[in-house]
Amino acid sequence: MAKTIRDIYGETLVKYGTTDERIVVLDADVSNSTKSAIFAKAVPERFFNLGIAEANMAGIGAGLAAGGKIPFINTFAVFLTSLGLLAARTYGSYSNWNMKYVGAYGGLSNGFDGPTHHSIEDLAVFRTLPNFQVFVASDARQTAWLVKNAIDHHGPMYIRLTRNAIPDIYDDNATFKTGKGNIVRQGDDVTIIACGLMVKPALDAAETLATQGVSAQVVDMFCIKPLDKELILDCAKKTKLVVTVEEHSIIGGLGGAVAEVMATGGSGVPQVFIGLNDTHAETGTLNALFEKYGLTADDIVAKTLKGLGK
């Protein structure tokens, strides 16, 4: 069975954290869920469980950053954008301190805890904060790179992780760069831009579209901020339609970011937004939630064909 993204995250923290004494890890009493517990077991002297006190945890993380440490601040994504937001805005964004916010159980992956625990606004919140970089993990190899990149980059950062295992998108030779999306499938008729858990359904949709005579290019936009504006405008120039797919509200997330680029770049190409349509999500399995809110590969196919007028 494939390892979950959160397991890869915890193991990669240990890989670098055992020898880099700048790395400290904080959690809000959910370390078994976020898998920061893997680090806690390996490096207990640099792990801090702050209990169910997310705002305090973020504030302590800020203090550690001010002292030259690299704090990885962990809890469910929804609590970072709410209870942890003041420290993110004041110390991460305004003061430009070296804080790494890691949102576990992003999107709808905390399905059985329901609307209070879904994180469908986190990308919108964090990408509005000056100085913050924003990433969404799309597979295991990319997750390992994101941890190393967070260590190497000095400045505030938000990384969204999912609860689940994700099928591999990349091989061992894959490369990633801040501010650059990756074309994971070439196509000429339509561009599907996705991130995180939605990249695999986008690729599956492209396979189905090919059987219907539609050539779909798929882009993994794992870096939401800074955004790859050049790639977006090139895709808009090359294809007749841009489709954005995200496990997030269609307001302010990946789709909104892409729309801003296309509008200011004068692309003149229509865009289809696939995501949650200004609603909170219900409780249920991830598959059931994807079906209810139109996030399956079949939904991507149907909405893309409609966008093309087919």
Side-chain angles (χ1 to χ4, degrees):
M1 182 176 178
K3 290 182 179 179
T4 65
I5 289 295
R6 54 193 176 131
D7 280 316
I8 299 296
Y9 167 67
E11 291 170 4
T12 308
L13 276 179
V14 171
K15 177 180 178 180
Y16 297 109
T18 51
T19 56
D20 190 339
E21 293 189 356
R22 298 173 302 163
I23 296 172
V24 292
V25 177
L26 295 80
D27 209 300
D29 214 28
V30 288
S31 61
N32 286 328
S33 297
T34 66
K35 297 303 181 181
S36 68
I38 299 173
F39 184 90
K41 183 176 181 180
V43 195
E45 67 275 14
R46 283 187 274 116
F47 174 81
F48 304 94
N49 178 16
L50 282 306
I52 307 174
E54 292 86 353
N56 291 342
M57 173 182 67
I60 291 168
L64 288 164
K69 298 297 185 181
I70 305 175
F72 282 79
I73 301 166
N74 300 269
T75 187
F76 296 159
V78 67
F79 300 129
L80 290 180
T81 54
S82 53
L83 298 168
L85 183 57
L86 181 59
R89 184 178 185 275
T90 302
Y91 301 117
S93 176
Y94 180 74
S95 299
N96 200 23
W97 287 355
N98 194 26
M99 304 167 69
K100 315 303 177 182
Y101 277 67
V102 184
Y105 288 52
L108 302 175
S109 63
N110 204 356
F112 289 114
D113 286 334
T116 58
H117 283 56
H118 293 314
S119 181
I120 55 173
E121 64 287 310
D122 53 326
L123 303 181
V125 170
F126 275 105
R127 82 178 189 91
T128 63
L129 296 180
N131 294 317
F132 259 87
Q133 294 186 350
V134 180
F135 297 87
V136 186
S138 299
D139 83 344
R141 290 179 179 85
Q142 192 180 86
T143 299
W145 175 83
L146 286 170
V147 175
K148 181 63 166 63
N149 179 62
I151 296 167
D152 292 341
H153 171 75
H154 187 88
M157 183 179 294
Y158 174 65
I159 301 172
R160 181 208 258 201
L161 304 179
T162 184
R163 178 180 188 272
N164 310 79
I166 301 179
D168 288 336
I169 305 297
Y170 297 100
D171 61 27
D172 291 335
N173 297 317
T175 59
F176 309 101
K177 186 175 180 181
T178 296
K180 294 294 180 183
N182 284 347
I183 299 174
V184 292
R185 181 187 173 100
Q186 295 286 349
D188 299 315
D189 295 324
V190 59
T191 298
I192 304 174
I193 302 176
C195 62
L197 200 58
M198 302 312 303
V199 176
K200 182 58 167 61
L203 286 167
D204 292 342
E207 290 283 350
T208 301
L209 287 166
T211 67
Q212 301 186 39
V214 176
S215 174
Q217 177 167 265
V218 179
V219 173
D220 173 17
M221 197 63 74
F222 63 92
C223 184
I224 307 296
K225 183 186 177 185
L227 195 62
D228 194 343
K229 298 177 182 180
E230 181 180 3
L231 177 58
I232 292 168
L233 293 175
D234 285 347
C235 290
K237 186 182 298 183
K238 177 183 178 183
T239 60
K240 307 179 188 74
L241 177 71
V242 170
V243 179
T244 52
V245 187
E246 57 193 316
E247 189 190 0
H248 187 277
S249 170
I250 61 171
I251 301 171
L254 172 64
V258 169
E260 291 164 13
V261 171
M262 294 209 301
T264 56
S267 70
V269 173
Q271 178 179 346
V272 172
F273 296 78
I274 299 177
L276 278 84
N277 192 8
D278 197 19
T279 183
H280 290 286
E282 299 175 3
T283 300
T285 66
L286 189 63
N287 288 340
L289 292 171
F290 270 32
E291 289 178 6
K292 180 173 179 64
Y293 297 106
L295 300 176
T296 69
D298 287 343
D299 291 312
I300 298 170
V301 169
K303 293 172 184 177
T304 298
L305 291 174
K306 183 178 179 180
L308 289 169
K310 294 182 181 291

